[in-house]
Amino acid sequence: MVIQEGMSIQRKLEILSDAAKFDVACTSSGVDRKGNGSGIGNSLACGICHTFSADGRCISLLKILFTNECIFDCKYCINRSSNDVVRASFTPREVCELTMEFYRRNYIEGLFLSSGIMVSPNHTMELIFDALRMLRDEYHFNGYIHCKAIPGTDPVLVEAIGWYTDRMSVNLELPTASSLKRLAPHKSRKNILKPMRQIQLRRESNNEYLGIYDGRRHVSNQITMTNDKSSEITNDNRNSDRDLLLRVNNTTNIVPYNKAPIGKSRYVPAGQSTQMIIGATDESDYHIMSVSETLYDNFDLKRVFYSAFVNVNDDSNLPSTVSGPPLLREHRLYQADWLLRFYGFKIAELLNEKNPNFNVLLDPKCDWALRHLDEFPVEVNKADYYTLLRVPGIGVNSARRITTARKSAILDFKDLKAMGIVLKRAVYFITCNGRMMYPIKLDEDFITRELLAVKDRLPFGIEKDITYKQLSLFDDVSFQPDDRLMLQEISHA
Amino acid sequence: MNNLKIFLCDNSIDGIFTAIYQAWSSGYGHSNIKIEEQCEKNSYSNIELFSEYIIVETNFDQAVKVSNSIKTKISLEAYEMTCRVALSDYQGKGDLIYRFLILGFHIGKNIVSHLSNEVVNRVFKLNRYVSGEAHHLLGFIRFSEQENKILTSIIHPKNNVLSLVTPHFADRLPNERFVIFDGNRNVCSLHLPEKSWIIIEIPSMNLNDYDILIDDEYESLWKTFFDNIAIKERINPKLQRNNLPIRFRKDMTEFIPERINSLI
Ligand code: SF4
């Protein structure tokens, strides 16, 4: 391992930001917190993008590794112990100084601290804990903090750190336990799910204690279909997890640096996220999305991120990405993820064993609609919100505008146009006052051809190229500013 | 037609509200009235013949009366929407607000849902436009630290958003002294610890003088971070441009080539 002594902060930042770039979640969303009048910082639930890097992705947090001196040897990672790369580590104080000074200048919304594993998971997480505690208690930093939990960390540390962060994440890395074993031999599915469950239960009890209803996704009380694809994850036992939590709570009192949950403190208020690498292993889209669905439904995750695999180590045992990472596939997964979280879709409606991958040419919603022409056309003046959302081309923004506007008028196609609703796709699937815009018969081949002619709104440069950005939740199209809900989200169509 | 009365007012919320107050109480009838805010684009260049111009002196009491009626007779939401329109760079916003209020006083708080109405729709769109730019700037504003620890920032927004963005920073940075200059309007907002922020006009200051005072080591650290966080395999300038329009970049540290360091 190459470790340089007396490295400048500039050089450290260069190494440790470069090493952190594949972590996707750069959002600062999910928590509203006013300034406290004395320290520094506040937080907006909608999130704020501060800039966009050359790859077009939003930057909102100072995203760095605490150290890249890693004892693990994950095949897909540039920092794996078997690689000969320059190693560097921050001190807790350096992390604080950078965060504070960047924040004052309005470069960032806060800190996203991840890390390689130096000495042991516990050793690393203790240093991270020192940094966060210093940042909150000594520097009075009240901005956003996202912290990675390293699998295998003592639950006591996970408990302690959660009080200092807004979001925590444990990366699932790969969709199946067997892939994980193959590519990340030092990690195990169990070690990943354990802290995830711990944080989930802790949040639940904290919210209960504070009487907060933490608006989960709109999911109704439907029973989640547990399909065999996700059983690997659901099989664990919540009761034994609760025991663990109890044990943790009893032991934390003897941890000297524990900050007891006083007053109105909130535990990981912005919830958890996770990330999967796409295309390093051969799981299908169906498999991947089933795992995501389970994570949303059973682990109350706020976000699952997908990261198109880049073979940074030119490892011949892994797929080559010389012709570019699988960005279109990643894009389709994000679109489907969006359908799960905001549109009320279940993954079983979109994919199945026989048809396990998304259509390359059509976005998942169009694809679904074409296979369900019997449910169309729907009447714009009557259809409920979720039915409207199922119409290709009508997104959350448009559906809300329609349900608002029809309170005061009976809507016609020209009204929809005036309201800025894009009809290019929707026109095949809706009626206004019982009439379609053009007399079209609902013939699958015809509509498919027409839909294919409408250019798929792939983000620029994906021909295949895509990325994430802050996007108004209300908008089905691309970015349009909206002050009410500028969710930091990925682009979708 | 040739009886049109044009109320010419200041390009400010108070100016427009004053004009609306006077127009309303003039008794000329809504269809014979036009409100016109004064701005560079329309001053004297397109004076309409056969129209009578009435110069409106801004009167705060009258303006307050209008804002109070909007709040009580329509809604707070409608009031806020009106203000955002007044801050926009839309030519003809004064008259648009007037038309919007005529409808609003008639219909009441439900006015905001009449999206298929042309006037309401325009107001709605302008709101998104103004709020959108303000929201962008919450992220894109860059402060530079001056020798005396004062944080300074220059922006060139299309709309007059200073009063929309400053509260955010006052809440976020309560212990900082900061100034945000609007280089397009020669106004700035100023915040000092434990005081409420204010907006001041600065008629004759060359804002560009400020650049040369900067010698801030964190600027180069920020650039280092900015360059290294991009994934080379995914470089995508089009997407970057779509998300971060070029017009903002001239005021953003990471896009400004190394600054000329201080003359001192
Ligand atoms: S634990 Fe694995 S993924 Fe994380 S830094 Fe170490 S080698 Fe990379």
Side-chain angles (χ1 to χ4, degrees), chain A residues 10 35 38 41-42 50-52 54-56 103-106 109 330 460 466-467 469 480-481 483 486, chain B residues 84 128 131-132 135 138-139 141-143 145 171-172 175-176 216 224 231 234 236 239-240 242-243 254:
Chain A
Q10 187 95 32
S38 60
N42 58 14
H50 283 253
T51 190
F52 291 85
D55 50 22
Y103 194 80
R104 287 180 67 221
R105 289 163 178 76
N106 204 40
E109 279 303 285
E330 181 194 88
F460 293 104
I466 149 100
T467 218
K469 64 177 185 174
Q480 281 197 3
D483 58 322
M486 285 283 261
Chain B
R84 270 177 291 220
R128 288 166 49 102
S131 313
H135 185 90
L138 295 187
I141 280 182
R142 293 286 172 271
F143 288 109
E145 187 179 64
D171 181 62
R172 170 166 288 200
N175 298 321
E176 301 283 352
D216 185 342
T224 299
I231 298 176
R234 308 179 63 135
N236 192 339
L239 181 65
Q240 187 190 27
N242 189 50
N243 287 331
E254 60 273 30

Side-chain angles (χ1 to χ4, degrees), chain A residues 65 70 72-74 76-77 79-81 115-117 173 187:
Chain A
L65 296 194
C70 191
F72 281 14
D73 200 35
C74 309
Y76 47 82
C77 176
N79 303 312
R80 62 185 186 180
S81 58
S115 188
I117 298 160
E173 312 289 13
K187 292 182 181 168

Side-chain angles (χ1 to χ4, degrees), chain B residues 87-115:
Chain B
L87 294 172
S88 75
D89 66 352
Y90 176 70
Q91 213 179 331
K93 62 193 177 185
D95 204 59
L96 179 68
I97 293 173
Y98 187 57
R99 305 295 146 198
F100 178 68
L101 293 182
I102 294 169
L103 284 169
F105 288 129
H106 180 64
I107 293 170
K109 71 174 187 328
N110 283 334
I111 182 67
V112 292
S113 72
H114 285 244
L115 293 180

Side-chain angles (χ1 to χ4, degrees), chain A residues 285-286 350-359 367 371:
Chain A
D285 292 347
Y286 178 49
L350 303 172
L351 296 174
N352 53 48
E353 292 285 359
K354 271 194 239 111
N355 177 21
N357 289 306
F358 288 113
N359 192 326
D367 195 42
R371 284 182 281 111

Side-chain angles (χ1 to χ4, degrees), chain A residues 171 189 336:
Chain A
N171 279 359
R189 192 35 105 41

